[in-house]
Amino acid sequence: QKEVEQDPGPLSVPEGAIVSLNCTYSNSAFQYFMWYRQYSRKGPELLMYTYSSGNKEDGRFTAQVDKSSKYISLFIRDSQPSDSATYLCAMSAGGTSYGKLTFGQGTILTVHP
Amino acid sequence: EAGVTQFPSHSVIEKGQTVTLRCDPISGHDNLYWYRRVMGKEIKFLLHFVKESKQDESGMPNNRFLAERTGGTYSTLKVQPAELEDSGVYFCASSHLGQGGSPLHFGNGTRLTVT
């Protein structure tokens, strides 16, 4: 069983829709939770990161972490065609292992005009 | 600020040959990481440098892979001899030194194809 499970999609939505992306994990040691966006032929770009449980909002993006359920989510409001990309969840135990990320497989998102 | 730079962007080699990938981190970033994504799989951690020292190399697949970071600046990842299963995209990332909260900045990767 993978440490991090993420539905690869693909997910296709109309412009303006609310998008919900999710990951589940099994390692209780994970303390830092990140969402990366990756465009084709580019490297992952950090969107959001959260320490421990709770919510974090940044513009149209909201990240939620529920450590009791080992479940994290990313919501995108008023989705735009420019949001079309692969979204990767990633997590780490922190400390000296902060940068040792365990990634999900990524969800391919397409937003249609 | 220049981002993380990786060379080459794409490499095609035959099985048994040697390939060296290079990563130039963001200036001042002491942490440098190598990751790899093989076809159909998730991105996986390979190793972590702090300055010129290997902090964690637990993700290196086998002894055909050798990573170096001389002088604590750029890093190289050599694959010798290359096998078919080494094909994939190799990413480098860097960050400031610290216990947490310093985001990783990724390069655009080197796409390696072994035929």
Side-chain angles (χ1 to χ4, degrees):
Chain A
Q1 184 184 0
K2 294 179 182 177
E3 279 190 288
V4 179
E5 297 279 357
Q6 182 177 10
D7 186 343
L11 184 61
S12 181
V13 302
E15 183 175 356
I18 296 174
V19 176
S20 172
L21 305 167
N22 312 293
C23 288
T24 59
Y25 64 95
S26 58
N27 189 342
S28 299
F30 290 145
Q31 296 288 336
Y32 289 85
F33 304 90
M34 300 106 179
W35 286 95
Y36 283 85
R37 177 175 62 194
Q38 186 178 19
Y39 292 113
S40 180
R41 305 282 174 163
K42 298 292 186 181
E45 170 196 11
L46 182 67
L47 276 177
M48 307 275 288
Y49 87 91
T50 308
Y51 171 70
S52 194
S53 284
N55 296 354
K56 190 171 185 177
E57 187 173 321
D58 184 2
R60 296 185 295 112
F61 299 90
T62 300
Q64 292 183 349
V65 175
D66 182 349
K67 289 188 69 179
S68 62
S69 300
K70 294 188 175 66
Y71 186 88
I72 70 171
S73 302
L74 178 71
F75 297 94
I76 307 174
R77 290 183 299 280
D78 187 25
S79 56
Q80 302 295 310
S82 57
D83 295 328
S84 298
T86 297
Y87 288 80
L88 303 154
C89 64
M91 41 201 84
S92 76
T96 56
S97 297
Y98 172 78
K100 185 177 180 180
L101 305 181
T102 301
F103 281 88
Q105 196 167 351
T107 299
I108 300 170
L109 171 67
T110 302
V111 181
H112 295 287
Chain B
E1 174 181 81
V4 176
T5 308
Q6 293 188 243
F7 302 98
S9 59
H10 193 182
S11 179
V12 181
I13 61 171
E14 292 183 354
K15 176 182 172 181
Q17 289 186 323
T18 298
V19 63
T20 300
L21 314 180
R22 173 170 169 146
C23 169
D24 285 72
I26 292 172
S27 179
H29 281 190
D30 289 326
N31 287 317
L32 187 147
Y33 305 85
W34 284 98
Y35 284 82
R36 175 175 77 168
R37 183 168 195 163
V38 298
M39 183 77 73
K41 301 283 189 179
E42 63 275 15
I43 298 172
K44 286 196 172 181
F45 169 85
L46 295 178
L47 89 159
H48 170 206
F49 283 100
V50 176
K51 298 183 181 178
E52 68 276 7
S53 300
K54 291 176 186 174
Q55 175 78 23
D56 182 347
E57 52 184 330
S58 61
M60 295 288 265
N62 50 61
N63 59 10
R64 295 186 293 103
F65 289 75
L66 176 65
E68 295 180 323
R69 192 182 183 195
T70 307
T73 55
Y74 71 91
S75 175
T76 58
L77 180 64
K78 182 192 291 188
V79 185
Q80 179 183 29
E83 297 289 345
L84 297 178
E85 64 265 25
D86 301 332
S87 295
V89 183
Y90 290 76
F91 291 104
C92 175
S94 70
S95 71
H96 283 295
L97 197 62
Q99 293 296 302
S102 180
L104 269 66
H105 298 264
F106 282 82
N108 288 331
T110 293
R111 186 172 299 271
L112 174 65
T113 303
V114 182
T115 62

